[in-house]
Amino acid sequence: MSEIFLIKISGEDKPGIMSHMSRILADYGVRILDLGQAVIHNTLSLGMIIDIPEAQGSAPILKDLLYGANELGVKLKFVPVTEAKHEDWVQAQGRKRYIVTLLSREIGAEQIARVTGVMTDVGLNIDFISRLSGRISLVKPDALPRACVEFSVRGEPSDMLQLRSAFMDITGELGVDISFQEDNVYRRNRRLVAFDMDSTLIQAEVIDELARKAGVVDEVSRITESAMRGELDFKESLRERVALLKGLDASVLEEVAEEVPFTEGAERLVSNLKKLGYKIAILSGGFTYFGQHLKRKLGVDHVYANELEIKDGKLTGKVVGEIVDGKRKAELLEEIALTEDISLQQVVAVGDGANDLPMLGVAGLGIAFHAKPIVREGARQAISTLGLDGILYLLGLRDREAE
């Protein structure tokens, strides 16, 4: 009968360790059943499950491995593994896996302790831990730091409601965003990202900026806030606000388009998505003029928004055509996915207002971004601590992989 061992190697990381140790195993015809490695601060932790043929016998192989480790200046331990225990481990690979992602300006021990404690309470076991954000400099700290840690976990939560509720409590108390996604083929193959525009891609509600130019900002802002909280029908609220802009010179549109800043991380996010071949859409309850402006600047593929009626160089106070409300956003998202031959499970939708909830619901990954409470509660994922480029972490990208 063959013998199974877990080999543990630790010490200072240096080139050639894996090559040297695997050569010893190869010379004896040993099978490697599994292996994994992690390096933290130039310290190596390497593990291998090996299967030693009965004809070989373990004594000479383990002796040579110990000798090789001594030559390399690393420590080696070996633990016998029973065939039954190995088979239990093999059967566990069929269990569901999830990705738990922590995002914040800074991630500390308390946040990690609370999150991992919740995972333990509902029966999830951590398989891998990865840092997706860059290394932290204590000499030259970033002005706008990003921190992200990703946990690959295995098992089926005993109480999903308890898990999500506990994560929401931690988010509110400790200022860390927590994403919980099933680790499936769709998560690794997203292809379309649809954005709301106002207060998502750009740092303003454009209609409020136009109202400021028209001298009616207080009236419009009150209606806007109420609509975004879901207290007013969006279509009616839009008509009321646009009516207040009647007589505004159309040249103001260009002024506002140039003045409104991008949201933190928007340009970095979109440039990376384009580099990776994603299709980008803007689905906005705002206005087409500004969506087209962003299309030219960012290379957006699809823009759907509301068309302001202009006559004799002035706004008439009306919109032309069908109003893009929450229901229409979801319909447009489905239409774009169909046109691009993309499954809805491969779609990411991002928004901040109540009228974004329908499209967040139909997308495979719906993200409430710096959103109102009603939107955070209704969306499956939320980012409130970082800029838009925090979405790259939810797609599994590391800082070193991004521009």
Side-chain angles (χ1 to χ4, degrees), residues 199 205 225 228-229 352-354 370-377:
S199 297
E205 291 290 329
E225 281 299 310
M228 289 299 99
R229 289 193 300 267
D352 74 299
H370 288 261
K372 314 298 185 289
I374 188 175
V375 186
R376 288 199 303 271
E377 292 168 9

Side-chain angles (χ1 to χ4, degrees), residues 28-315:
Y28 282 99
V30 171
R31 282 201 301 167
I32 297 177
L33 302 177
D34 192 26
L35 74 164
Q37 175 178 303
V39 177
I40 299 178
H41 218 276
N42 209 39
T43 299
L44 169 74
S45 178
L46 169 62
M48 291 185 281
I49 300 285
I50 64 171
D51 182 26
I52 300 175
E54 183 178 4
Q56 289 288 1
S58 59
I61 298 172
L62 297 178
K63 178 182 177 182
D64 283 355
L65 287 172
L66 286 166
Y67 183 75
N70 185 64
E71 284 187 312
L72 294 166
V74 295
K75 296 178 181 179
L76 183 143
K77 293 182 180 180
F78 52 87
V79 180
V81 178
T82 66
E83 185 175 288
K85 189 171 183 180
H86 175 71
E87 284 307 306
D88 287 344
W89 173 77
V90 170
Q91 294 307 314
Q93 67 186 338
R95 297 179 188 171
K96 272 190 175 180
R97 292 180 182 272
Y98 297 90
I99 299 295
V100 180
T101 312
L102 277 60
L103 307 92
S104 188
R105 294 297 179 186
E106 182 177 327
I107 294 175
E110 179 65 21
Q111 295 160 322
I112 292 173
R114 289 280 299 278
V115 171
T116 54
V118 170
M119 291 191 283
T120 300
D121 290 342
V122 297
L124 293 173
N125 187 61
I126 300 169
D127 278 344
F128 308 105
I129 304 175
S130 301
R131 173 178 47 81
L132 303 187
S133 50
R135 295 175 179 175
I136 300 170
S137 172
L138 300 179
V139 177
K140 296 181 179 180
D142 292 334
L144 287 173
R146 297 184 299 266
C148 177
V149 177
E150 179 182 275
F151 297 85
S152 175
V153 302
R154 175 171 31 89
E156 191 60 53
S158 58
D159 190 330
M160 189 67 79
L161 288 177
Q162 176 188 339
L163 176 75
R164 295 192 181 280
S165 176
F167 280 173
M168 287 184 68
D169 289 344
I170 294 169
T171 292
E173 295 168 20
L174 300 181
V176 58
D177 295 317
I178 309 167
S179 167
F180 185 78
Q181 303 178 63
E182 185 176 346
D183 189 10
N184 56 32
V185 66
Y186 295 114
R187 177 186 174 267
R188 299 184 295 275
N189 289 280
R190 309 291 188 193
R191 293 178 54 200
L192 166 66
V193 183
F195 295 97
D196 173 48
M197 181 170 62
D198 296 31
S199 297
T200 300
L201 271 178
I202 54 177
Q203 287 184 335
E205 291 290 329
V206 164
I207 195 166
D208 291 349
E209 299 308 308
L210 293 175
R212 188 168 283 107
K213 301 285 187 180
V216 291
V217 65
D218 291 339
E219 298 95 312
V220 168
S221 291
R222 279 195 294 271
I223 300 172
T224 298
E225 281 299 310
S226 186
M228 289 299 99
R229 289 193 300 267
E231 297 169 354
L232 286 178
D233 172 74
F234 181 81
K235 288 184 178 181
E236 184 56 37
S237 72
L238 183 69
R239 292 190 186 100
E240 289 182 18
R241 287 175 288 168
V242 171
L244 292 169
L245 301 179
K246 183 178 180 179
L248 184 65
D249 198 289
S251 63
V252 170
L253 300 182
E254 183 177 357
E255 290 179 26
V256 172
E258 292 298 334
E259 290 171 359
V260 172
F262 284 111
T263 297
E264 178 198 342
E267 292 170 287
R268 179 173 181 262
L269 170 62
V270 174
S271 67
N272 276 284
L273 293 175
K274 296 296 290 183
K275 179 184 71 174
L276 295 170
Y278 281 73
K279 294 294 183 179
I280 310 295
I282 291 175
L283 304 179
S284 174
F287 305 116
T288 306
Y289 182 94
F290 302 93
Q292 292 296 333
H293 176 77
L294 294 181
K295 181 177 181 178
R296 292 189 294 271
K297 280 203 162 190
L298 297 175
V300 173
D301 300 286
H302 304 273
V303 173
Y304 292 93
N306 298 300
E307 186 74 32
L308 289 167
E309 184 179 64
I310 299 173
K311 288 185 179 179
D312 300 323
K314 295 186 182 297
L315 274 61

